[in-house]
Amino acid sequence: MSAQTQVPATAPRRTELDALRVFVVLGLVFFHAALVFSPDDDFYVKNAQTTEVVTVFVGFGVVWAMPMLFLVAGLGSRYSIHRRGAGRFTRERLLRLGVPLVLATLVLCPLPQWLRLRAADPGYHESYWRFWPRFLTVHPDAADFPFVLDGEYFETGHLWFVVLLLTFSLLLAPVAAPLAARALRMGQAVERRPALLLLPALLLAAINAFLGMEEGFAGWNRWAYLVFFLFGYVLADDDRVRGALRRLAVPVGIAGLALFAGTAPGFMALDDPFTEGSPFALVTRALFGAAGWCWVMAILGLLDRPREVRPASRTMVYLGIAALPVYVLHQPVVVALAYGVVGWSAPILVEYTVIVAGSLAVILALYEGLVRRARLTRFLFGMRADAPATAALDRPDPPVTPPR
């Protein structure tokens, strides 16, 4: 069977994956707003009062959320390559990820850095427009691939996800056909021995343990995300794999909870569990990597239940289309709102609620009132300029006509 015939032209819609993608993207508003009140994280703007509750809240999110986003993107890449071929897929990704990456790096990323300086030093009065060229003063740094530019103030910030997704997509294109050709045999092997689905947990444990975890990339090593992306591309939509995941979901989920609980002593006791070379730190990072794989596999299996195929709701389609623009917009908006709120003499819960609610309102207003209204802005934010209804990132199913 050729690689081109392994993906059906009209695959059933994976509505649970649409929901997961939307949940994670919108959840990032809650996540980054919580970092304002974290006693550990070096977020752009910090509240005077912090709480350890945030550490637990954040931990439950980072172990599975961004890995799931990469897995869903990998599955979407499979369908995109099937429809377009590797060459057109590469050009499409360069435009629909590269263009918003450049735009947001130039226009949006300087704002959180500027607000960080203002929040840290009440005597700092440099205007944004004087800071902006200093932010863009960069030099090449191939050692941090794929983040190949560096500078005193320069950063890609929350766009690290876009950088990695674009890199993974470009790395995938030349090997897409042989990987797809091997998917059939891999699916057969999983059908015979479902426990093979746990092998990537060992790989992720090794990557995190020996390469180190990276706080700037939601706690995971950047190359660990490639494992989730490739699993999404090769196996996530194989019926035999999906059946195995449904059968294993509960025991794998329990194992994931136990492994995650095992990381607590290390994260609580070590000075720098992300990079320390002690055996205790290595074990802590290994447990985290294995736990993350188990969580993701369990979530996929628990949500993938046989059900009547129904069209996605109008709200879900709308939010699915908005996913990439919302992702690009969210962090600068959260930081700007937090900068104005942290000086209040109000309880943490009140400040947090205001930041979250205000950020969601501003982000969706920008998307609805600006991004999706014009061909140029749709193009700049990764949407098809000639089709306002088209999703910003490929979804693992045929396109659905959205509400008008």
Side-chain angles (χ1 to χ4, degrees):
M1 182 180 294
S2 70
Q4 291 296 315
T5 60
Q6 290 178 33
V7 180
T10 55
R13 186 181 185 89
R14 298 289 301 275
T15 53
E16 79 280 7
L17 297 185
D18 278 343
L20 277 172
R21 188 163 59 95
V22 168
F23 179 80
V24 171
V25 171
L26 292 180
L28 288 171
V29 174
F30 295 81
F31 174 82
H32 285 124
L35 295 183
V36 175
F37 307 96
S38 169
D40 304 314
D41 190 86
D42 181 26
F43 198 58
Y44 300 93
V45 176
K46 301 294 290 188
N47 195 55
Q49 291 182 300
T50 59
T51 172
E52 295 286 351
V53 173
V54 173
T55 303
V56 178
F57 170 74
V58 167
F60 277 103
V62 298
V63 72
W64 70 272
M66 295 307 294
M68 184 67 76
L69 210 55
F70 278 101
L71 187 149
V72 174
L75 180 54
S77 297
R78 183 172 176 85
Y79 281 80
S80 180
I81 289 175
H82 171 74
R83 292 195 302 269
R84 300 180 174 93
R88 288 182 58 202
F89 168 79
T90 299
R91 292 191 294 272
E92 183 261 356
R93 285 302 163 108
L94 284 170
L95 287 175
R96 293 177 66 192
L97 293 175
V99 170
L101 174 61
V102 172
L103 170 72
T105 301
L106 294 175
V107 177
L108 298 177
C109 287
L111 179 62
Q113 284 287 65
W114 180 65
L115 292 175
R116 183 201 294 273
L117 295 173
R118 292 180 64 88
D121 181 7
Y124 177 81
H125 297 299
E126 183 181 33
S127 72
Y128 180 76
W129 302 112
R130 290 181 64 87
F131 169 76
W132 187 71
R134 294 206 293 140
F135 175 87
L136 295 177
T137 301
V138 298
H139 59 269
D141 182 16
D144 198 32
F145 182 83
F147 303 89
V148 295
L149 295 177
D150 193 16
E152 183 179 2
Y153 298 103
F154 178 82
E155 65 166 14
T156 55
H158 66 297
L159 299 178
W160 64 264
F161 167 73
V162 183
V163 174
L164 290 181
L165 181 55
L166 178 57
T167 301
F168 295 165
S169 299
L170 298 180
L171 292 174
L172 170 67
V175 298
L179 281 177
R182 289 182 175 87
L184 178 63
R185 285 178 293 174
M186 295 172 70
Q188 291 171 340
V190 168
E191 185 178 32
R192 292 192 299 269
R193 297 180 180 177
L196 290 174
L197 286 173
L198 299 180
L199 288 180
L202 301 178
L203 176 59
L204 289 166
I207 291 173
N208 269 7
F210 296 109
L211 297 184
M213 295 168 60
E214 300 182 89
E215 191 172 0
F217 304 140
W220 286 83
N221 185 278
R222 68 191 72 184
W223 299 111
Y225 291 121
L226 181 58
V227 177
F228 292 99
F229 179 80
L230 290 177
F231 179 83
Y233 176 78
V234 176
L235 288 176
D237 212 33
D238 186 297
D239 286 340
R240 293 158 300 193
V241 173
R242 292 171 64 180
L245 286 173
R246 290 193 290 267
R247 294 191 297 273
L248 292 175
V250 172
V252 168
I254 294 172
L257 289 171
L259 290 166
F260 184 69
T263 67
F267 283 118
M268 293 174 62
L270 293 167
D271 291 332
D272 185 7
F274 286 69
T275 60
E276 281 187 23
S278 67
F280 191 19
L282 292 174
V283 170
T284 297
R285 294 197 294 270
L287 290 175
F288 183 90
W293 181 259
C294 291
W295 279 50
V296 169
M297 294 301 101
I299 291 169
L300 288 176
L302 290 171
L303 294 183
D304 185 16
R305 290 298 181 225
R307 59 175 67 88
E308 180 184 352
V309 178
R310 297 177 181 177
S313 69
R314 295 166 66 92
T315 299
M316 189 57 63
V317 172
Y318 177 86
L319 292 174
I321 294 168
L324 181 57
V326 167
Y327 183 90
V328 170
L329 290 168
H330 87 275
Q331 183 159 283
V333 172
V334 170
V335 174
L337 263 292
Y339 179 79
V341 167
V342 293
W344 295 3
S345 57
I348 287 177
L349 185 58
V350 172
E351 294 183 349
Y352 177 73
T353 301
V354 170
I355 294 172
V356 169
S359 297
L360 289 172
V362 171
I363 292 164
L364 293 176
L366 288 172
Y367 171 73
E368 179 63 29
L370 175 64
V371 174
R372 73 185 295 262
R373 294 297 172 179
R375 291 171 58 91
L376 177 61
T377 51
R378 290 196 296 270
F379 171 74
L380 291 175
F381 279 85
M383 304 171 70
R384 292 187 191 275
D386 59 346
T390 303
L393 291 177
D394 288 303
R395 290 174 292 177
D397 45 55
V400 175
T401 303
R404 295 189 183 276

